[in-house]
Amino acid sequence: MIKRYIMKKHAVIFAASLLMLPAMLKAQEAQTFVFDQDDDELIEAVRPVEDKMIFNHWALGVAPTDPSTVIIPNVATCITPYVQLRLGFDLFPSLSYSGLTGKTVHINEFQFGDAKYSADFDGKFHMSGMKFLVDIYPGKTTPFHFTVGLMGAVFSGGRIADIYTAKPFLTDEKDWQNTGILVKDNTYRISTDATGQLKFSLKTNPVCPYFGIGFGRAFREDRRVRVMFDMGVMYSGGIRASALSQPRTPVGYDKLNLERLEFSSADMAGYDEITKDMVDLSKYGLEQPLPVLDFVRAVSMFDPYLKVTIFIKIK
């Protein structure tokens, strides 16, 4: 009887051990035991494996002010708990001014070359761009971060707007590509193109450095949805005017050699001044004629940036 009892007791212990084996194995994977070398006494248990956050977390972000992010979301990942990377595309169709407003802009009696003209102008806006940002966090869990990166209108080569006459600028086709104004110390000439249109562009640097601060992280272990806020400034190099121009040659102008030329107020002497007779500049402390192109470039060197992005963790 005693022998049978002992056998049943061993069978119960063996069955219980089998039931507990999976849990024991799982626990053993999460921790390792350290024994004292002298008396084999258990003295410490090693902690669970630490998440080093090296490209193992990913999130997709949508910015309410950029509808295109619904189609192509911003992407965020991490390389340490202190550094986060973000890549985003802001894609918008190139919209014309007349398409948005239903009308063109009429400019009356403006100087071009040696004569004055009146014409209707239209324009097309290029608002697409991209950004690559690096977020730097002072602590492992702090929401505050510094951000550095690059952004800009890389898809249009830095052009943010094209301005052109709505119809041929000159009525006589013989004047197309011939009548114009000289710039860059009479080295180049801005004139109409082969279709008779007069075209200009406003552009900035296609790739612009960015520095800012913000709050939030794109992902956190216990949250699926996160919100990030950014504010900072982008150095764009200032808005500059450019046009398709013809370089002057010893025999005149080479009509087949057109190139996009940037020019400043000095290049447009006599054509690029706002005087106090046209607008009252005294309240701004300006009494002399104001070079428009140089002024626009100076005040647009740095562009403010504000953005709220909602991120959803996918891994």
Side-chain angles (χ1 to χ4, degrees):
M1 178 69 68
I2 297 175
K3 184 177 181 181
R4 185 180 302 175
Y5 172 76
I6 294 175
M7 291 179 63
K8 286 184 178 181
K9 183 178 179 181
H10 287 176
V12 171
I13 295 174
F14 179 72
S17 300
L18 289 178
L19 293 175
M20 295 177 60
L21 181 60
M24 295 171 62
L25 291 175
K26 186 173 181 180
Q28 190 172 5
E29 291 178 357
Q31 59 185 0
T32 304
F33 298 98
V34 178
F35 293 88
D36 185 87
Q37 294 180 355
D38 297 331
D39 55 6
D40 293 336
E41 182 182 354
L42 179 65
I43 60 173
E44 182 183 359
V46 176
R47 320 124 189 98
V49 178
E50 182 182 1
D51 182 3
K52 295 183 178 181
M53 300 183 68
I54 302 179
F55 295 109
N56 61 337
H57 295 291
W58 296 82
L60 299 180
V62 176
T65 55
D66 295 338
S68 66
T69 57
V70 176
I71 302 173
I72 306 178
N74 296 341
V75 179
T77 187
C78 54
I79 53 177
T80 73
Y82 302 96
V83 181
Q84 177 178 273
L85 305 180
R86 287 185 283 162
L87 176 66
F89 298 90
D90 300 327
L91 302 179
F92 293 91
S94 295
L95 303 174
S96 66
Y97 177 80
S98 60
L100 291 171
T101 63
K103 60 182 180 180
T104 57
V105 177
H106 181 76
I107 301 180
N108 192 42
E109 295 293 315
F110 66 92
Q111 188 78 28
F112 188 77
D114 296 329
K116 291 186 177 182
Y117 299 88
S118 299
D120 291 326
F121 282 82
D122 200 352
K124 183 171 289 188
F125 303 97
H126 307 286
M127 296 178 285
S128 295
M130 69 172 295
K131 56 181 175 285
F132 175 74
L133 303 176
V134 180
D135 302 314
I136 303 171
Y137 294 88
K140 283 187 175 182
T141 60
T142 54
F144 174 79
H145 60 264
F146 298 96
T147 302
V148 294
L150 300 172
M151 56 178 62
V154 296
F155 304 109
S156 61
R159 294 196 339 270
I160 58 176
D162 293 322
I163 304 168
Y164 46 88
T165 49
K167 57 185 179 180
F169 178 58
L170 302 172
T171 56
D172 192 345
E173 293 188 17
K174 293 185 297 184
D175 294 330
W176 295 356
Q177 290 188 305
N178 293 320
T179 301
I181 58 175
L182 298 175
V183 296
K184 295 281 186 183
D185 296 326
N186 297 337
T187 305
Y188 291 85
R189 183 187 62 178
I190 300 174
S191 64
T192 56
D193 63 10
T195 64
Q197 287 185 303
L198 186 63
K199 296 181 179 180
F200 297 89
S201 294
L202 300 178
K203 65 179 299 185
T204 62
N205 294 340
V207 179
C208 308
Y210 170 81
F211 176 79
I213 59 174
F215 295 90
R217 292 174 178 258
F219 29 72
R220 208 173 79 176
E221 280 296 327
D222 58 341
R223 298 287 176 87
R224 173 68 65 177
V225 179
R226 301 289 294 163
V227 177
M228 289 192 65
F229 170 74
D230 293 284
M231 63 180 296
V233 65
M234 174 181 66
Y235 175 75
S236 67
I239 297 176
R240 308 180 293 277
S242 69
L244 286 174
S245 305
Q246 297 167 291
R248 198 169 189 178
T249 66
V251 293
Y253 295 95
D254 181 4
K255 295 182 180 180
L256 300 178
N257 188 16
L258 296 176
E259 61 181 79
R260 187 168 292 280
L261 176 72
E262 293 183 17
F263 47 90
S264 64
S265 291
D267 304 317
M268 300 288 291
Y271 304 101
D272 185 47
E273 291 183 344
I274 293 178
T275 66
K276 61 182 181 180
D277 297 329
M278 298 170 62
V279 60
D280 183 14
L281 300 175
S282 59
K283 58 184 177 180
Y284 303 107
L286 300 171
E287 300 295 337
Q288 299 299 321
L290 177 67
V292 179
L293 298 177
D294 293 343
F295 176 76
V296 170
R297 181 170 186 172
V299 299
S300 62
M301 283 281 189
F302 297 92
D303 297 331
Y305 180 87
L306 292 172
K307 186 78 69 174
V308 175
T309 309
I310 302 171
F311 282 94
I312 301 175
K313 185 174 66 173
I314 60 176
K315 184 180 179 181

